Amino acid sequence: QVQLVESGGGLVQAGDSLRLSCAASGRTFSNYAMGWFRQAPGKGRELVASITRSGDMTYYADSVKGRFTISRDNAKNTVYLQMDSLRPEDTAVYYCAADPLSFVRVTPIYWGQGTQVTVSS
């Protein structure tokens, strides 16, 4: 089992920045690809960004490319999502996820509880 705990969400204005953190425990963190998903009200859950086990490769959804940065610190068992130039359409619950594969799948095995991000215009 892998336990994931997100933090860093909040209410910000358009154009502001936030950094989400996800602390992992339970298994060897570096054995898992990590990802951030989000779910806006009335919409499905979408993959926002993911990172390989070593951190050498990343993926971003087109909607966040150039604004969000995913990173990980395997020594601290933590993955981050730096979100810059936030827009109202980024408002959602953000979930951290882990998969014992090269990249996080659409339906990863482990999920965090989510953290709310609200961007006002």
Side-chain angles (χ1 to χ4, degrees):
Q1 283 280 49
V2 175
Q3 291 79 42
L4 303 172
V5 179
E6 302 99 333
S7 61
L11 171 63
V12 296
Q13 293 186 330
D16 285 351
S17 298
L18 273 178
R19 188 175 83 154
L20 305 182
S21 299
C22 173
S25 61
R27 293 285 176 91
T28 303
F29 181 67
S30 59
N31 287 344
Y32 291 82
M34 301 298 296
W36 287 96
F37 290 72
R38 68 185 180 187
Q39 186 166 20
K43 296 188 177 181
R45 195 170 294 189
E46 65 167 336
L47 176 62
V48 173
S50 64
I51 188 167
T52 52
R53 288 172 285 197
S54 66
D56 61 337
M57 294 179 66
T58 56
Y59 160 84
Y60 296 96
D62 287 343
S63 57
V64 306
K65 204 170 292 184
R67 300 188 297 121
F68 290 11
T69 304
I70 188 170
S71 62
R72 66 188 296 161
D73 186 337
N74 285 348
K76 295 183 177 179
N77 293 348
T78 302
V79 63
Y80 305 97
L81 185 67
Q82 177 67 41
M83 305 186 294
D84 298 320
S85 302
L86 282 162
R87 304 168 180 170
E89 54 264 39
D90 294 319
T91 295
V93 177
Y94 284 71
Y95 298 90
C96 176
D99 239 345
L101 299 171
S102 297
F103 267 99
V104 168
R105 289 171 290 186
V106 174
T107 54
I109 292 178
Y110 300 108
W111 293 94
Q113 83 288 350
T115 185
Q116 177 71 46
V117 172
T118 303
V119 185
S120 64
S121 58

